[in-house]
Every structure is written in C-alpha cells, then in structure tokens.
Amino acid sequence: DEPYAEELQWSAFSIERFEQCSKLTHPLWSTEHYGIYGSSNGLVCISDEILNFDSPIHIWNPSVRKFRTPLISTNYIKFSYVALQFGFHPKVNDYKAVRMMRTNKNAFAVEVYSLRTDSWKMIEAIPPWLKCTWQHHNGTFFNGVAYHIIEKGPIFSIMSFDLASEEFEEFLAPDAICSSWGLCINVYKEQICLLFRCYGCEEEGMDKVDFWVLHEKRWKQLCPFIFPLNYCHRPSGISIDNELLMERRDFIKGVADMYLC
C-alpha cells in the first residue's frame, strides 16, 4: 500500500555475462531514494534522487565499503535546478565532481570538487550564452570533460565543461534533433555520441535509433541502429563493448527490461 516507503536498491551487472553480480545498499543505510551521478574505476558518486542545492554527495567504493562525504557550500541562494556529474580526469590524475546550479532568474553557478584535495572551487568565468533561460537534459562525463544536453527555446545543443582548463564550449545539435524524448548522450569508441529515437524507419516492421558522433568538433552521422518495431522503447546508453543498451518499460505491470543490441 505504500510503495514509496520501500527501500530503493541498485544492482551491479557483469557486462560480459549481463548477469547481476551484486546489490548496492546505501553506505549510510538510508532508505531514501538516491541517484547515481557517475562512476569511474570502482568509485560511485551518489546523491539525492531529486537534487537540491544542499543535497549531500557521497563518493563511494562499494567493493571495500568506504565512502567520503564532501562538505557542501552553504552560502548559496536557493537554486531551483542542480546538475551533478562525477568522473576521473587523467590529465590531473584526480577524481572530480561538478555541480551546475541555476535559478529561474538565469543566475548560474558552477563549482568543482577535487577528491585529492577534498575541496570545492567556484568557477568565476561563465560565458554569456549560458546566462539565459535554458533547460537541462541528460549528460555524461568523459576524459575529464562534463557534457550536458541543453535546450534553449527550439534549439538543442551540447554544453561541455573541461575540468582542467575550466573552459566551456557549445556544440549545436544536428538539425534532426527536435525533442528531448528518446535523446541520449554517451560515449562510443572514445567519442561523444548522440542517440535519438523519434522518426520512423523506412523498413516495414522495423524501428530505428539515429546516431551521431562528435568528430573534430563536428557531428558525423553514422548508420542508425535498426530493430523490430515495438521491441525496445528507448536508448539508455552504450556499453564499454560498444553495444547499444535499450530499455523497455511496462508501466501497467510495473516492470522494465533491458536489451543489448
């Protein structure tokens, strides 16, 4: 009768066998729902499922059952939107977390946490094209750079932030991308890629996911993924073996399936 009172549980799956190998329980044994905001070399970054400006962040190693909880800055106004990402930066040999926060009045702040120094740094130089009304969608972290899909009016673009140089960059998305539904950003063969399922397939009885990679700061369209119609619902990412991960949800039965394509 009270499904939201149940404990949330994450599971780790072996990519070779695609079988569950462990269950992840919150390091503080909290029953609150939490989200995973990045992982690298066995470290996992977790925080509240719905992020707030004062949400606690835990950098956790489930294998040895140890974690660190960075102190969160408390001198902020209440930001209405918070994004969090985590990963390893090979150039500086350090694990980094980045928080991007925005208010309804277009105030924007970015701060970076260093695991090595256990400290936060506020980024002062914010480009003018981010000081406007925009909507954030999903993101990814690769090679020391945080990437986010953002929507400004009818235009979709990719915002990148290099945690070593502390520089922002914007890449306009391909013209075919017109909706956030079925849109996913990930890494394919050491390149940032976009997956988009919106348009039907010309092949009868089949569906497709369009596919682009960011090559030398330009989008290059590759062959789409084609699969049986209604077999899978939406792309959720790409595995380290460069296989497409698709998910299908049945909201009536309350179950979800994941497929490797």
Side-chain angles (χ1 to χ4, degrees):
D1 295 333
E2 297 181 35
Y4 294 102
E6 295 178 0
E7 180 183 354
L8 175 73
Q9 179 179 281
W10 288 82
S11 299
F13 280 76
S14 163
I15 195 64
E16 290 86 6
R17 300 183 306 276
F18 211 54
E19 297 174 352
Q20 181 174 299
C21 56
S22 63
K23 297 177 181 179
L24 307 181
T25 302
H26 194 287
L28 294 176
W29 301 98
S30 170
T31 57
E32 298 293 326
H33 285 201
Y34 65 95
I36 294 178
Y37 295 93
S39 64
S40 184
N41 300 327
L43 296 184
V44 181
C45 179
I46 65 174
S47 188
D48 293 344
E49 187 177 43
I50 300 176
L51 290 171
N52 204 340
F53 71 101
D54 58 354
S55 293
I57 297 171
H58 307 291
I59 298 175
W60 174 34
N61 187 332
S63 298
V64 297
R65 301 177 183 268
K66 292 184 178 180
F67 67 95
R68 178 182 291 180
T69 304
L71 292 175
I72 299 297
S73 304
T74 57
N75 57 346
Y76 295 129
I77 59 175
K78 291 187 177 181
F79 287 87
S80 59
Y81 178 79
V82 180
L84 173 64
Q85 286 183 284
F86 170 82
F88 180 71
H89 202 311
K91 290 183 181 178
V92 296
N93 193 32
D94 193 9
Y95 294 89
K96 302 273 191 175
V98 56
R99 291 206 312 165
M100 298 187 181
M101 299 164 286
R102 181 173 55 85
T103 69
N104 293 329
K105 296 182 179 180
N106 300 333
F108 184 65
V110 177
E111 62 178 3
V112 176
Y113 172 77
S114 164
L115 184 64
R116 186 174 58 197
T117 63
D118 191 22
S119 62
W120 289 92
K121 178 181 180 181
M122 178 66 73
I123 305 301
E124 303 292 343
I126 304 297
W129 52 268
L130 278 174
K131 297 177 180 178
C132 63
T133 301
W134 51 272
Q135 186 177 357
H136 168 270
H137 298 291
N138 57 26
T140 192
F141 192 101
F142 174 64
N143 205 26
V145 181
Y147 295 87
H148 292 266
I149 298 173
I150 62 175
E151 181 181 358
K152 294 187 287 186
I155 299 173
F156 286 85
S157 62
I158 309 305
M159 170 186 64
S160 71
F161 175 65
D162 190 313
L163 277 70
S165 66
E166 298 180 357
E167 293 180 349
F168 293 86
E169 200 164 357
E170 183 178 25
F171 306 95
L172 291 177
D175 293 339
I177 294 177
C178 57
S179 169
S180 61
W181 192 93
L183 178 60
C184 176
I185 184 170
N186 215 281
V187 178
Y188 177 74
K189 294 185 177 180
E190 303 292 307
Q191 293 177 302
I192 290 296
C193 71
L194 289 175
L195 303 163
F196 184 52
R197 181 190 178 199
C198 183
Y199 301 106
C201 184
E202 295 81 5
E203 225 176 299
E204 187 177 352
M206 305 296 285
D207 207 343
K208 70 172 181 175
V209 173
D210 287 311
F211 184 40
W212 297 264
V213 295
L214 187 61
H215 179 68
E216 297 180 352
K217 299 187 177 184
R218 298 175 66 92
W219 294 108
K220 178 182 179 182
Q221 187 166 13
L222 303 183
C223 291
F225 291 98
I226 297 177
F227 51 89
L229 187 64
N230 296 326
Y231 186 73
C232 298
H233 278 213
R234 59 189 303 172
S236 60
I238 291 181
S239 77
I240 56 173
D241 293 330
N242 300 313
E243 292 180 299
L244 179 66
L245 289 165
M246 299 283 286
E247 62 176 296
R248 180 173 64 178
R249 298 181 182 183
D250 188 327
F251 292 102
I252 297 175
K253 295 181 180 179
V255 296
D257 296 312
M258 186 164 281
Y259 298 86
L260 281 173
C261 305

